[in-house]
Each structure stands twice: as C-alpha cells, then as structure tokens.
Amino acid sequence: MDLVVGGGIVGLTIAWRLSRAGRAVTVVDPAPGTGASHAAAGMLAPVSEVTYTEEPLLRLGVASLRRWPSFAAELAADAGLDASTARGGVDLRADGTLDVAFGADDLAALGELADFMEKLGLPVERLTGRECRRLEPMLAPSVRGGLLAPGDAWVDPRRVTAALLAALDRRGVPLVRARVSGLLREGGAVRGVSLDRAPGELRGDGVVLAAGAWSAELADVEVRPVKGQIMRLRSPEPLLRRCVRGTVHGAHVYLVPRGDGELVVGATQEELGFDTRVTAGGLYELLRDARELVPGVTELEVADVVAGLRPGTPDNVPYIGPSGTPGLTLATGHHRGGVLLAPLTAAVLLGEEPELAALCSPSRPRTGPGTGPGATTGTTSGATSGTASGAGPRPGPGSPPSRSWR
Ligand code: GLY
C-alpha cells in the first residue's frame, strides 16, 4: 500500500490516479482541501505565466494543460458529477488569458515579454488597448495594450478538490484525518508515518510526500511557504469573459471569472513564513490595482478573502519523483502551479512522462531563476519586500506584501 501525505489538489490527484491504476492507497491529511488549493485561483496558464529563465516549468505546464480536458472528464465521471453542469462539474474554461498593461512602462515590459514568448514559439497575439476592450468591454479606457494567450485555461480548484474527494470515496480509498508528525524510518528506508492521533502510525510500502509548504517539516526538501492573499467578489452579471491579468506600474494582479458569477482577484506573493493572516494592506493593493484595470470591481460584493501558502522551491520547479531515500517519493514544491501541474505530477509518478521526469526530478542539477542570463527578480508593488524567484532575502513579519512573478 502507498501512503499519500497531503490532501491538497496534488496529493488527492496522485491518490486518485494511483487507485485508478489498481494500486492500494491511503491519504493522510487533517483537513483535506483546505490549504493552498482552497486559496488558489485555478489558472491553467503556462503561457501567460511564463517567466524568464523558467523554460523547464513552461514545458511541464504545457504538458499538464494538455492533460486537463480528459483529466476533468474522467474525474467528473468517477466523482459521479453531472458533466453537463458547471463545465463538467469543475468549471473548466479554456477561453484564454488576456494580459494587459496600464502604464507606458508596463506596456514596454509586456512588449519585451511578447518578444520572449515569440522566441519560444508560444501562441500569443499582441493587441492594442482598443482591441483589448473589444474582447473585454469592462476594461478601463486607460489600458494601453495587451497580450492574448488564447490557449490558457482555468478551473475552480475548490470544485476539483471536492470532486477528487468524492471520486476517492467512491473508489473506497481510505482518508485518515490526522496530522503526520514524522516519517517512520527503518534501516535507512521510509516505511510509514507517525500520526498525532489514533491510530498513532500507518505503515506502507511507500510514502508519497505531497504536503505542500509543510513538506520540509517532514523530510529534507528545500520547500518554503510563499503566502498569497486572494479575494472573491460576487457579481450579479459576469464582469469578464476570460482570465485577465495585468501590470499596474510594475505591480501584478489577476482577475479570474467563475461560472457562478464570482470573480477571483489575486494574489499577493509574500515571504513571511507560515503566516496566513489576511491583511488590510494586502487586500488594499489587490483592489487598488484591480480597479485600475477593471473599474467595475469596486461595485461588487466581497464574498470571501483568504490567504494560502504556496510551496516554493529555489528554482520554482516542483520536486516530483524518488527522493533518494528508499520508500520516499516527493510530489511537492509546486509553488504557483499546483492546480495546473496536478495531472502531470501523477503522470510522472506513474511513469507516463519519461521525457519530462528529469526536469522535475528531485535529483536534478541545482539551478535558480536568478542564475541565468536575463534573470530578473521581478518588481514589487510598493516596497521591495520579496522576489519573484524566491531566491532573494526573506523579509521579516510586518514587511509590506510583494506581488511579482516576472
Ligand atoms: N498561479 C497564481 C498564483 O500563484 O497566485
């Protein structure tokens, strides 16, 4: 039997795919689906999220996006969802991402990004401000131009985790609601986990560590928490047709429309350790920038605000595969891409992606986004409190939030 530690979208996906492949599996998590997956916006956007020096991540993201339509259809069927509702039950939408620029500097940066994307052969279209507003009439007249990534998609992660839990339940996969306090080691190998409550421990043939930002508390893996604050606004009529992201004087914001009328506005990127407080400053910056791009957001009702912890790695690429310790497999460090990369993660562990496995192998050569040519630490909104790469210094508590991904 395999033990999967972590009931976020990654852990649940692995458990579901292992079970479908005929393997006995048990999931361990004190509160499945309530961590980073609960806070995530659900962008399946490898093209519009591409970052200088992160081509390996792009390759992984593109491959995983390709898997999403059949993954969602199989999940809906296994979970017993009505595939005709909410786009297959998980609100999967493939209407593309529109990346827009507010100021002259933002437009110049977007132009450079477009050059980079074209050099990589990515399908993007450069648009004028007027063309952007033709696609999204609620955009502000001040939007100067944009970049459409027509192949990008998004999904509702909360629906996905609910569907995964339902699918696992229907397959009879046990879910142990307990916190893992340590790994059981015998003769240099991992043989199970110890728990903070009854039954005290679980033994298995192998342990898959998918505990997100908490993974480093259980194993020797370089993963750190990167806080993201996000808000959900409720709109009687959808304000946007597609996912819109934008740069406002160097600060980044994205707006993701849900099928039920909600609009997700995100997200801060803060290096504050295990801090999940929602702060006035974080929400203020999100709303300030969102309003510059789509003024109508201020009319909307606030439905929910939440902070989650992304599991960041030094090179922003997840660790997927054997850990080097017998019995322990890693599936962690998905940072900004856990939802996008969940199908690929399970596929790599099942040996279905031999060519991509080396890119995310825990034993890959150590590189960082700050090490290559064209490296950037990104820009920040307000003070320079963090870096896009995560390779920079950690600000102390109380530092202003940083939102930067390029
Ligand atoms: N992928 C979006 C985020 O991490 O905020």
Side-chain angles (χ1 to χ4, degrees):
M1 183 194 48
D2 294 301
L3 298 171
V4 176
V5 177
I9 205 160
V10 171
L12 295 176
T13 294
I14 292 166
W16 174 55
R17 299 310 279 191
L18 287 179
S19 171
R20 276 179 65 103
R23 304 251 290 263
V25 57
T26 294
V27 180
V28 195
D29 192 299
T34 61
S37 310
H38 185 71
M43 282 181 289
L44 311 178
V47 172
S48 58
E49 289 213 309
V50 71
T51 304
Y52 300 113
T53 77
E54 289 186 5
E55 282 99 307
L57 194 56
L58 171 71
R59 284 184 63 196
L60 297 172
V62 167
S64 203
L65 176 58
R66 222 176 281 133
R67 287 179 171 271
W68 256 100
S70 58
F71 177 87
E74 285 169 22
L75 177 58
D78 255 22
L81 299 177
D82 178 353
S84 66
T85 60
R87 296 169 180 86
V90 294
D91 208 5
L92 175 62
R93 297 173 65 178
D95 301 319
T97 303
L98 180 60
D99 197 346
V100 298
F102 180 74
D105 288 355
D106 303 324
L107 192 61
L110 201 60
E112 279 173 28
L113 183 68
D115 294 343
F116 175 64
M117 289 168 157
E118 284 164 1
K119 214 177 287 168
L120 294 176
L122 298 174
V124 286
E125 295 165 33
R126 296 177 197 243
L127 303 175
T128 62
R130 186 171 299 182
E131 287 167 334
C132 290
R133 280 183 288 281
R134 208 170 293 140
L135 289 181
E136 291 294 346
M138 298 308 282
L139 283 173
S142 44
V143 164
R144 291 179 183 239
L147 205 54
L148 179 68
D152 278 358
W154 66 99
V155 74
D156 184 342
R158 295 183 186 182
R159 287 180 189 263
V160 176
T161 45
L164 285 164
L165 286 167
L168 290 171
D169 190 49
R170 284 163 62 106
R171 298 191 69 84
V173 172
L175 176 60
V176 177
R177 290 178 188 264
R179 197 176 71 79
V180 171
S181 45
L183 302 178
L184 296 178
R185 294 171 192 267
E186 276 172 19
V190 171
R191 296 281 176 236
V193 296
S194 52
L195 306 175
D196 69 338
R197 64 180 76 146
E201 63 176 47
L202 289 171
R203 290 181 172 268
D205 302 319
V207 171
V208 181
L209 185 59
W214 287 268
S215 301
E217 294 187 347
L218 296 171
D220 183 17
V221 53
E222 228 177 317
V223 170
R224 69 186 198 288
V226 181
K227 178 178 173 181
Q229 300 187 52
I230 202 157
M231 70 176 78
R232 285 166 190 259
L233 306 175
R234 197 168 289 131
S235 169
E237 296 295 325
L239 222 51
L240 298 173
R241 298 178 189 149
R242 54 181 64 68
C243 185
V244 168
R245 52 193 303 149
T247 320
V248 181
H249 300 314
H252 301 274
V253 65
Y254 53 76
L255 301 99
V256 181
R258 295 264 177 264
D260 59 8
E262 275 189 7
L263 187 68
V264 180
V265 181
T268 66
Q269 189 153 291
E270 304 163 66
E271 304 269 354
L272 295 171
F274 288 89
D275 169 5
T276 51
R277 289 169 307 145
V278 175
T279 63
L283 299 185
Y284 164 73
E285 289 198 5
L286 287 177
L287 268 182
R288 181 197 62 196
D289 297 339
R291 190 183 66 158
E292 295 286 17
L293 301 178
V294 182
V297 295
T298 50
E299 304 298 322
L300 306 185
E301 181 188 342
V302 177
D304 183 26
V305 291
V306 63
L309 298 172
R310 308 173 183 90
T313 64
D315 61 3
N316 294 339
V317 177
Y319 299 122
I320 308 169
S323 67
T325 300
L328 180 63
T329 299
L330 301 182
T332 187
H334 292 71
H335 196 220
R336 301 174 52 85
V339 181
L340 169 64
L341 296 171
L344 181 88
T345 301
V348 167
L349 294 186
L350 284 164
E352 295 167 10
E353 292 278 4
E355 286 185 16
L356 294 178
L359 296 179
C360 49
S361 162
S363 60
R364 64 181 175 267
R366 173 74 198 272
T367 55
T371 59
T376 174
T377 53
T379 53
T380 58
S381 55
T384 53
S385 62
T387 70
S389 67
R394 290 188 190 192
S399 302
S402 154
R403 240 164 338 112
S404 53
W405 53 76
R406 284 180 196 131

